[in-house]
Amino acid sequence: MQLHPGMAWGTPSSRCGFSGQRRAVQSCRDFVADTLRTAEFRYPLQVWDDLLLCASELATNAIRHTRSGDHEGVFTAVLYLRRAWVGLEVQDLGPRDEVPTVPCPLADALDDPLATSGRGLAMIGLCSRGRYGFAAPPEAPVHSTWCALAA
């Protein structure tokens, strides 16, 4: 995991807010797909597939592990579309007070065929070839988890 690259990514290409309810995961995937469909650049199908998987995982994690999943919670998906890469950032409302957590992949999550959870960040790590991480105040203005995929 890495610190967020911050302003080095430049201006976002698109952003959209969502409710913190489970059905918003599909809405987030739809937003990503619609944005890619109308993008200036044409990305390979593998980038689409990987980015949609990452969007599902990051949105799910925002809902399951942060205050974004609480009553009236929200999260925002931010896309950065560049010729050579695509970035996705999911901004959330931060950790629940009773359970402060830091995003962390489980080392052997992908090796356990019986695991029922804990694979999300490990899959994002594979899709992004290790270019993923998180940001939190005071180093960043908001809580977010992000990934960048080579195009």
Side-chain angles (χ1 to χ4, degrees):
M1 298 274 287
Q2 304 171 16
L3 292 177
H4 193 286
M7 298 307 290
W9 280 11
T11 304
S13 302
S14 190
R15 70 175 57 233
C16 189
F18 303 94
S19 73
Q21 298 178 6
R22 283 184 283 176
R23 68 177 178 265
V25 173
Q26 182 60 50
S27 298
C28 183
R29 285 176 54 91
D30 292 344
F31 159 71
V32 170
D34 290 344
T35 303
L36 289 175
R37 194 172 294 112
T38 60
E40 171 184 359
F41 309 113
R42 295 293 163 232
Y43 299 104
L45 184 58
Q46 187 64 51
V47 171
W48 280 60
D49 290 345
D50 289 349
L51 192 62
L52 291 173
L53 172 69
C54 291
S56 293
E57 293 299 331
L58 293 177
T60 298
N61 285 352
I63 294 166
R64 290 186 72 196
H65 301 296
T66 77
R67 290 183 298 139
S68 291
D70 293 348
H71 180 68
E72 297 187 17
V74 296
F75 68 93
T76 302
V78 184
L79 278 168
Y80 299 82
L81 305 179
R82 305 299 187 259
R83 182 175 306 283
W85 60 274
V86 178
L88 172 63
E89 175 183 16
V90 171
Q91 300 172 345
D92 61 58
L93 298 178
R96 293 184 171 99
D97 292 334
E98 68 277 8
V99 187
T101 60
V102 171
C104 181
L106 300 177
D108 60 353
L110 296 178
D111 296 330
D112 183 356
L114 301 177
T116 58
S117 65
R119 291 185 169 116
L121 286 177
M123 288 189 301
I124 290 170
L126 287 175
C127 291
S128 67
R129 297 185 181 127
R131 292 184 60 203
Y132 73 110
F134 71 96
E139 291 81 20
V142 297
H143 288 87
S144 67
T145 309
W146 61 270
C147 63
L149 285 69

